[in-house]
Amino acid sequence: MSQDNIQENDMQDNNVDTSIEITPEMQAFYQRADAIIGIANSQLGPEAHSGQVGASLLYAAARYSASVASIGFIKGDDFAKEKDDIVEFYVKQYRQMLSDNLTDYAQNFDKYVQINKDEKSAE
């Protein structure tokens, strides 16, 4: 489910909290996420199902996060000393994002399932 689809559907949903302003930074954040989701979706096919693509996506996120976390360190030993704090930070962020998205998906399940069906039939 792309953010564009969510926003499009949210405009039609009277239960949406309209007090939340989507800033340009937030819009850019969602656009980057949608682009990455698009790449992941393009990997689906006879050779890779959603579970396999999801596992690759998680691995890519972990690998990229390790690279980002290393920025600013001069020595590997110093970086290694911070490993537990870095892991805790990323796990906390992921847990919150996953929880928020699961809640959103559950609340909009019928709508999202229909959008996914529409997207598949259009292919």
Side-chain angles (χ1 to χ4, degrees):
M1 163 77 16
S2 76
Q3 185 62 27
D4 290 339
N5 288 340
I6 292 170
Q7 287 178 338
E8 181 179 300
N9 289 322
D10 284 349
M11 288 179 199
Q12 299 168 1
D13 187 350
N14 294 331
N15 297 325
V16 173
D17 183 356
T18 57
S19 66
I20 298 173
E21 178 187 348
I22 303 293
T23 65
E25 292 82 11
M26 290 171 66
Q27 186 65 32
F29 172 87
Y30 291 123
Q31 287 174 341
R32 286 189 301 270
D34 285 345
I36 293 166
I37 292 167
I39 291 169
N41 284 336
S42 75
Q43 300 296 306
L44 297 171
E47 299 298 317
H49 58 70
S50 59
Q52 292 167 317
V53 173
S56 296
L57 186 57
L58 280 174
Y59 177 78
R63 188 168 176 157
Y64 192 82
S65 295
S67 175
V68 169
S70 72
I71 295 171
F73 285 92
I74 305 299
K75 297 184 338 186
D77 288 344
D78 294 336
F79 180 55
K81 290 176 188 172
E82 299 295 324
K83 178 183 173 184
D84 290 342
D85 289 339
I86 293 167
V87 169
E88 184 177 332
F89 170 80
Y90 280 105
V91 168
K92 183 179 178 183
Q93 294 294 310
Y94 180 77
R95 180 181 300 278
Q96 184 63 54
M97 290 178 188
L98 179 60
S99 178
D100 290 349
N101 278 282
L102 289 170
T103 298
D104 177 61
Y105 209 94
Q107 290 173 346
N108 296 286
F109 188 82
D110 292 339
K111 181 171 36 175
Y112 289 171
V113 168
Q114 184 59 46
I115 288 170
N116 289 335
K117 287 178 185 175
D118 291 346
E119 288 174 354
K120 286 181 183 175
S121 66
E123 292 174 355

